[in-house]
Amino acid sequence: RAKAEGRSTFRFFTAQMQQRSALRLKLEAELRRALDRKELQLYYQPQCDMHGRLIGLEALLRWQHPELGMVSPAEFIPLAEESGLIVPIGMWVLEEAIAQMQSWRERDLRVPSVAVNLSALQFRQPLLVEQVARLLHESALPPECLELELTESVVLEDPDDALGLMERLHQLGVRLAIDDFGTGYSSLNYLRRFPVDRLKIDRSFVQDLEQGRGIAIVRAIVSLAHSLGFVTIAEGVETPEQLAQLRKLRCDQVQGFLFARPMSVPQLEAWLLRHRSVGPDGDSWTFEI
Ligand code: C2E
Ligand code: MG
Ligand code: MG
Ligand code: MG
């Protein structure tokens, strides 16, 4: 009986596994076509300083699948990385974000900057730096309006190589950020040498701010960042209590559902119009925080 049960359990798992890998293959083939079919879109999430001034946007990929609806990047980015599809997809993201910024500037919506996530495979493409340089050159976007986000693991896979790449990107004038900071295993020795502008404090630490330990960690990250000359931005800020703590801990900037969710272009444009203030140095966007 135990044997029979064992076997049926086994059969159950293999069936499930087969189903899963069939789904994976199907999704992979569909992802391959998604670019051509214009099923990929960029959403943009506002980032602000502690006065509620808009300082930039993060571009976040969305896949509007014809049957499955909106597929989360948490699901398809790993698939795109394993299959290598992240390389053309990542190029499209860069092109699209730059073109969008350009179009906003032409319409006098001078959004300060846009941050684009780079995956490990994309970062290691031999022509990445040249491609970024070409895209910036072809557009009239000032390079400091583009920020590239790298995670600690991407950078530390081969730190010396990464350092060289980061320096070349930095020389183009683009800004660099370390995403999900604190979740990897940053070598402080390297961190000191990286030409980084911002550290993004991972959402998990922001969530832990309700407890003493969480406060200690965020305080340590902010103080480390500031002593190395980096700006800090907290990700995933959802409550006024978290914001108050971050303020006390001298975190510089915030991003999270408390202020704004990632939005489609039309939604974001409506959001910008609602928050616009016209000043002597041009427009800015401010909201109550
Ligand atoms: P990430 O770069 O750390 O992006 C932040 C994620 O946190 C986004 O999830 C965003 O929607 C979510 N978020 C922002 N504020 C809050 C909040 O207050 N509460 C909660 N619970 N979540 C919040 P999203 O858009 O699902 O993206 C997930 C991850 O997928 C990103 O994490 C990034 O690693 C990856 N990703 C997204 N777009 C791209 C892309 O264009 N290229 C690459 N390589 N990766 C991307
Ligand atoms: Mg990011
Ligand atoms: Mg992050
Ligand atoms: Mg993340």
Side-chain angles (χ1 to χ4, degrees), residues 116-270:
V116 169
N117 293 281
L118 284 195
S119 82
L121 197 62
Q122 208 185 349
F123 186 55
R124 305 279 172 206
Q125 287 301 299
L127 290 178
L128 175 76
V129 181
E130 283 77 4
Q131 282 165 339
V132 172
R134 178 178 55 79
L135 289 178
L136 285 170
H137 184 77
E138 285 169 2
S139 81
L141 191 71
E144 64 274 15
C145 293
L146 176 67
E147 180 172 71
L148 301 175
E149 295 191 2
L150 300 161
T151 60
E152 290 165 285
S153 50
V154 165
V155 166
L156 290 165
E157 224 166 77
D158 183 350
D160 291 313
D161 188 42
L163 185 61
L165 276 168
M166 289 168 86
E167 274 165 356
R168 288 172 60 209
L169 287 168
H170 201 70
Q171 271 158 17
L172 296 178
V174 304
R175 294 187 298 161
L176 298 172
I178 305 282
D179 202 358
D180 306 339
F181 186 78
T183 57
Y185 43 94
S186 271
S187 149
L188 298 185
N189 189 39
Y190 276 105
L191 198 58
R192 174 171 68 87
R193 294 163 57 197
F194 286 145
V196 162
D197 301 279
R198 286 210 278 187
L199 291 190
K200 300 195 75 178
I201 303 172
D202 191 67
R203 179 159 65 91
S204 57
F205 302 118
V206 174
Q207 273 170 340
D208 279 354
L209 277 175
E210 334 270 297
Q211 311 156 18
R213 286 256 174 105
I215 294 175
I217 290 177
V218 173
R219 180 182 288 122
I221 295 177
V222 171
S223 124
L224 171 71
H226 286 170
S227 64
L228 293 171
F230 308 149
V231 168
T232 49
I233 177 164
E235 295 192 280
V237 181
E238 293 180 352
T239 70
E241 291 75 25
Q242 291 166 349
L243 175 65
Q245 269 303 342
L246 289 163
R247 215 190 267 287
K248 260 196 231 160
L249 297 172
R250 306 236 176 278
C251 179
D252 307 290
Q253 303 168 345
V254 280
Q255 173 181 352
F257 295 170
L258 181 62
F259 317 102
R261 289 185 172 256
M263 291 175 269
S264 67
V265 170
Q267 286 171 328
L268 179 78
E269 288 178 357

